[in-house]
Amino acid sequence: MGEKTEKLLSILKLQPVVPVLIVDDVKSGVLLARALVAGGLKAIEITMRTPAALDTVRAVAQEVEGAEVGAGTILDAKQWDAAIAAGSKFVVSPGATQELLDAASASPVPLLPGAATASEVMALREEGYKVLKFFPAEQAGGAAYLKALSSPLAGTLFCPTGGISLKNANDYLSLPNVICVGGSWVAPKELVAAGDWGGITKLASEAAALKA
C-alpha cells in the first residue's frame, strides 16, 4: 500500500486543483484535457457519468501529452476493471465498499476512496488508506468540519470535492490535512460547448496558481 500511496501523492501534488470533469463526447474531452494541461492542471479526473467517459479516459491517456488521467465515480469492481483497462493512472470513488477495496488491493493503480465521516475515515485507515477524498465537501460540513478532523485523525490527507469553487478553495487548501481540492469550475459547460479552450486554459492557470 505504501508504494501506491506514494504514487497517488505524486499525482495529487502536481497541482492544487484536480479538475473533475463530466464529458459528453470524446473529441471535446481530449481538447478540454489539452487546454487544462496547458494551464498547468495535469492530473485530471474524468467521471464515469456519461456514455463517452470511458472512451475519453482512453483517448486522453493515449493522446494528451503530460496528462495524468484518472477515472472518477467508480462504484464497483466491474467499473474498476474497465477504468484500469482504459488507461487510468488513478481511480476515484465517492465512497468505499469491500468489493471495490478488494479490486483495488489487487491492482497497482492507486485508489482515492471517498469518506464523509470520522468512522468512514477510520475504516479506510484500517485498510491502509492515508489519502482520501472528502465528499461531498461543502454539504458534509465544509472546511470547518475537515479542520476538526485534522487533530484526532492526524496523518490522514484529503482531497475535498463537492461544492468547491475559486471563491472557497483557499479555505480548504490552507488546512494542514488537505493536499489538493477537486473542482469542476475550471471547465464550465458554456466554455466547453463554445469550444473556448483558451478561456479554459486561463481558468486552469488561475487554479494552478492557488497555494496548496
Side-chain angles (χ1 to χ4, degrees):
M1 181 61 81
E3 190 177 320
K4 283 196 279 189
T5 299
E6 289 306 313
K7 193 183 292 186
L8 181 59
L9 284 172
S10 71
I11 293 170
L12 298 181
K13 284 180 178 176
L14 288 171
Q15 63 218 34
V17 180
V18 175
V20 179
L21 309 179
I22 298 174
V23 295
D24 293 316
D25 69 273
V26 176
K27 185 178 178 182
S28 68
V30 168
L31 293 170
L32 173 56
R34 286 196 180 122
L36 291 166
V37 171
L41 302 184
K42 296 180 178 180
I44 297 167
E45 176 189 339
I46 296 174
T47 62
M48 298 295 109
R49 302 185 195 183
T50 66
L54 205 58
D55 287 335
T56 304
V57 169
R58 186 176 290 107
V60 171
Q62 294 173 353
E63 300 172 27
V64 182
E65 189 175 347
E68 295 282 344
V69 64
T73 322
I74 297 299
L75 305 178
D76 55 40
K78 185 178 179 183
Q79 288 184 332
W80 172 278
D81 292 341
I84 304 309
S88 300
K89 298 287 182 66
F90 64 104
V91 172
V92 186
S93 62
T97 65
Q98 198 57 53
E99 179 192 337
L100 183 60
L101 294 175
D102 288 346
S105 70
S107 170
V109 176
L111 169 66
L112 179 66
T117 68
S119 292
E120 290 171 356
V121 174
M122 289 168 64
L124 286 165
R125 281 166 60 114
E126 286 184 3
E127 295 280 346
Y129 287 90
K130 296 179 180 177
V131 186
L132 309 177
K133 170 180 177 171
F134 176 54
F135 177 82
E138 281 291 282
Q139 297 85 348
Y145 181 95
L146 204 49
K147 184 179 181 180
L149 293 182
S150 63
S151 181
L153 296 172
T156 306
L157 292 172
F158 295 92
C159 173
T161 305
I164 298 176
S165 65
L166 189 61
K167 189 185 296 184
N168 64 2
N170 277 325
D171 295 342
Y172 290 93
L173 292 170
S174 64
L175 299 178
N177 56 344
V178 169
I179 185 171
C180 62
V181 300
S184 57
W185 84 86
V186 292
K189 284 182 181 178
E190 59 271 19
L191 293 190
V192 175
D196 186 357
W197 310 120
I200 286 171
T201 294
K202 184 173 183 294
L203 289 175
S205 297
E206 290 173 359
L210 293 169
K211 298 296 182 196

